[in-house]
Amino acid sequence: MTFHSKNFDIHYTNDDIDYIQEIINVLNQQIPDLINFFKIESLEIVNKLQIILYNDYDKFIKDCTTNKIAPPSYTAALFHRIHGINTIRVLNLEKQKNASGHESDNLEKLILRILHECVHALHRIKIKMPLTQGSTPWFTDGLATTITHQYDHMPLETKCNLDDIINQKVHYNTYRTLVTHLLQEYGQEFLLTILDKKEMQENILPRICEEINCKNE
């Protein structure tokens, strides 16, 4: 079954009937705000988001496997631009518990996860290039967690270790801390100017870490 809207289509099964309307309501409310954040005038038909809820964990893993490389065991959602289509694959309410670390996840976390992947899709649409080419992991995931308020239930980090961030040995909340600081101290306009400037993101990271660490000493 599919629900069609202006900015997204969501594909679901009978297993999702009890909560699909709540998901749709939140997406209809939040996605326009995310589009506005990126200063995208509107999503053309070709850029419409395709969201797929999976009730089959093995099929999810198979569909998320690229170049014979399966996603990490903790993966419960993934964005890919496939043949020009912005595709967001997500384990549904029940099957998300099959992913490592998500055993107790609820509907709220499922919705936030969908919004997180929507940010990746919009980021990709805005810069017109693969995120791996135009951006760094700390920036892409920091942006997604910050503007969706995904980890607002957690306090911001008081220390940021540069090496751990570069080597991706930190929680997503650390990425959120970095981008929150970037927004507060440098502003949204600056952030938007470096969306596709990977080198600038790499160069500014040590300064942001230093500023956060000094502020909290």
Side-chain angles (χ1 to χ4, degrees):
M1 291 175 282
T2 303
F3 172 85
H4 300 279
S5 74
K6 177 183 177 181
N7 297 314
F8 67 92
D9 296 334
I10 186 163
H11 311 273
Y12 61 98
T13 70
N14 284 327
D15 293 345
D16 311 312
I17 292 294
D18 290 343
Y19 55 83
I20 190 64
Q21 191 58 54
E22 185 171 350
I23 293 177
I24 290 168
N25 291 343
V26 174
L27 296 183
N28 273 328
Q29 179 181 8
Q30 296 295 325
I31 288 179
D33 291 338
L34 299 178
I35 292 172
N36 288 336
F37 178 89
F38 284 99
K39 298 189 183 300
I40 298 172
E41 289 188 10
S42 63
L43 291 186
E44 299 177 3
I45 294 175
V46 293
N47 280 326
K48 194 175 184 183
L49 309 181
Q50 299 298 318
I51 303 166
I52 306 171
L53 286 175
Y54 282 76
N55 65 348
D56 184 326
Y57 180 75
D58 291 336
K59 181 169 175 32
F60 170 78
I61 294 298
K62 180 181 178 181
D63 288 353
C64 290
T65 298
T66 56
N67 299 321
K68 298 183 179 181
I69 300 175
S73 62
Y74 58 78
T75 304
L78 200 64
F79 160 69
H80 277 142
R81 186 172 172 89
I82 304 167
H83 305 303
I85 300 173
N86 300 300
T87 306
I88 296 169
R89 297 187 169 105
V90 192
L91 290 171
N92 74 358
L93 183 62
E94 181 60 31
K95 293 304 177 180
Q96 69 181 352
K97 298 174 183 178
N98 288 33
S100 176
H102 298 290
E103 294 82 4
S104 61
D105 282 6
N106 55 19
L107 182 59
E108 179 185 8
K109 290 192 175 182
L110 170 60
I111 294 172
L112 286 169
R113 189 173 299 124
I114 294 172
L115 290 170
H116 180 113
E117 299 303 321
C118 287
V119 171
H120 288 332
L122 295 170
H123 188 170
R124 170 69 173 81
I125 290 167
K126 180 69 174 181
I127 67 176
K128 298 181 176 64
M129 69 174 73
L131 295 183
T132 52
Q133 179 181 335
S135 197
T136 55
W138 74 264
F139 186 85
T140 55
D141 282 314
L143 181 57
T145 52
T146 298
I147 68 175
T148 62
H149 306 284
Q150 189 173 10
Y151 290 106
D152 278 11
H153 62 285
M154 299 175 65
L156 295 172
E157 303 292 333
T158 57
K159 292 290 181 182
C160 292
N161 184 288
L162 180 61
D163 289 337
D164 287 347
I165 294 166
I166 292 172
N167 294 312
Q168 300 180 51
K169 294 182 178 180
V170 295
H171 188 274
Y172 275 20
N173 191 49
T174 300
Y175 299 147
R176 167 183 164 245
T177 299
L178 294 167
V179 173
T180 297
H181 180 85
L182 187 63
L183 274 171
Q184 290 175 345
E185 300 299 324
Y186 296 82
Q188 181 180 345
E189 291 301 324
F190 174 77
L191 184 148
L192 292 175
T193 65
I194 65 170
L195 283 176
D196 60 349
K197 295 177 176 59
K198 191 172 186 177
E199 186 175 351
M200 285 188 66
Q201 295 166 22
E202 292 170 342
N203 290 340
I204 200 172
L205 177 59
R207 187 199 313 173
I208 295 174
C209 287
E210 182 179 0
E211 289 173 353
I212 291 171
N213 294 339
C214 289
K215 182 173 69 173
N216 291 300
E217 282 183 354

